[in-house]
Amino acid sequence: MKLWGGRFGKEVDKTAEEFGASIPFDRNLYRQDIAGSIAHARMLAKQSIISPEDSNTIIAGLEKIRARIEQGEFEFRLDREDIHMNIEAVLAEEIGSAAGRLHTGRSRNDQVALDVRLYTCSAIVTIVERIANLQETLLKLAQKWHGVIMPGYTHLQRAQPVLLSHHLLAYFEMLQRDAGRFYDCYTRTDVSPLGSGALAGVPYPLDREYVAEQLGMNAITRNSLDAVSDRDFVVETLSAAALCAVHLSRFSEEIVLWSSGEFGFIELDDAYSTGSSIMPQKKNPDMAELVRGKSGRMVGNLVSVLTMLKGLPLAYNKDMQEDKEPLFDSVETLVNSLTVFNGMVATMQIRTGTLYRAAQGSFATATDIADYLVKKGIPFRQAHEISGKLVKKCVEEGRTFADLKLEEYRMLAAEFDEDILLITVESSLGSRKTTGGTAPEQVANALTAAENLLMETRDWLKEKNTGQDERQ
């Protein structure tokens, strides 16, 4: 008989039972469900709602069930619908009537809300850890290749020279914003809804703060209706995951381009490449392409949950069962993407000479020539036109700025002097001294700042990992 079957006089249709069951996926919440039940049982005894003996018996039974699940000796049954009822039913088989007291002052509505919040907090810590690992790799590579010059791009056209380390730190900054979004999401997720009941609270003298403390959570919810129906934290997590995936996708696109014969900037390690079944010469950047492709799944998961929520009245609705699979999938996909991407980037080889030649031979100092004329008193728009004519001349004659003589410069503007010949990609880099620019000293400052940000992230992780240990 169903644990809720007292009202019903007819068995559930088997097709409907299979359709409605969530145990195939919410079994992933067993640790969180047991942790929440243990905290609830302790609180019930503390408040004299159940006896200490029953509480201890319940806790021992739950710990035994957790061990059985982790040893692969627990049978998850579809007819018991979800993780909560699977555990409660087996608990009754294990300890008898005392199990029936565990659900006092609790509903599956606030129970599942707690489980998903606990899971999400743990997932956020894991994701931020992977983000920090990738940031550390980027930082090490930026330090190693500090001084390597490459062309910067706009519209996928060579634009101005930049340091490779500056380019890598741009992705460090994206990941830092990703980590910040997950920090914020963690704060709003780390709130206990237990004690809200089905929707209206419960008629028992529960100590909700005690339960939150037992679980290492920082606060309790303020409104029972909102508590059982709130999935904002799931949306926020999926949103942060989707945007992080988009950042990885953008970097992946550059890796695909850079590793091509047309660019030739990098070579990926064999361990992160694949070959062709028909073309022996091929070395494909499949891992980068997969990371790029999987970003679409995570964007889709976000849209799926937003669409599910948009028409729901208060309070809990069965539709909310559909929050878990997208959440589980995005967490797993992002963690795996960050892990694989980290290994791929850490082992790729940089062709520094190719990067430098690409920067030097692409008229990347054209803006510097215009700025030179501005300093000589020529309005920028006029200086821009003169520099453009120089580029046109070089393109038509198959030459570069380095091939031009002073006399050829002066044919377009008498203000050109000998020092125009001193403009190089190196001088261009050195002139970009504004904060956040690509000048070597500014990038050195950025490397130091990145080290400090990474240390702050590691401190956050240390604090949150300590809290996660308390919840196990």
Side-chain angles (χ1 to χ4, degrees), residues 375-413:
K375 292 174 183 176
K376 297 287 187 176
I378 296 178
F380 180 80
R381 284 303 169 201
Q382 184 181 343
H384 184 286
E385 182 180 359
I386 293 169
S387 181
K389 288 179 178 179
L390 285 169
V391 172
K392 184 173 184 293
K393 174 181 174 63
C394 288
V395 170
E396 290 173 347
E397 298 175 2
R399 304 166 73 192
T400 68
F401 289 150
D403 299 321
L404 296 178
K405 307 297 184 187
L406 177 60
E407 293 74 20
E408 294 176 284
Y409 279 103
R410 283 181 169 166
M411 288 175 63
L412 290 174

Side-chain angles (χ1 to χ4, degrees), residues 141-247:
L141 295 179
Q143 291 167 333
K144 176 182 178 181
W145 291 322
H146 186 43
V148 173
I149 301 173
M150 66 173 290
Y153 290 81
T154 63
H155 306 279
L156 203 56
Q157 304 294 312
R158 293 175 187 172
Q160 294 177 330
V162 297
L163 289 177
L164 174 59
S165 51
H166 191 58
H167 194 105
L168 294 173
L169 287 177
Y171 285 104
F172 183 101
E173 290 294 330
M174 293 184 203
L175 291 166
Q176 187 63 32
R177 293 194 296 274
D178 291 327
R181 276 181 280 272
F182 281 114
Y183 297 161
D184 293 343
C185 183
Y186 188 100
T187 299
R188 284 182 286 276
T189 304
D190 193 27
V191 181
S192 173
L194 209 60
S196 299
L199 75 161
V202 297
Y204 297 93
L206 305 185
D207 188 340
R208 297 186 61 208
E209 289 82 0
Y210 176 81
V211 172
E213 181 184 337
Q214 288 289 299
L215 294 169
M217 304 184 83
N218 285 328
I220 61 172
T221 54
R222 295 190 294 265
N223 183 287
S224 61
L225 283 166
D226 179 56
V228 298
S229 61
D230 172 30
R231 294 298 183 271
D232 289 3
F233 65 95
V234 173
V235 172
E236 285 191 65
T237 301
L238 291 174
S239 177
L243 186 48
C244 184
V246 167
H247 291 153

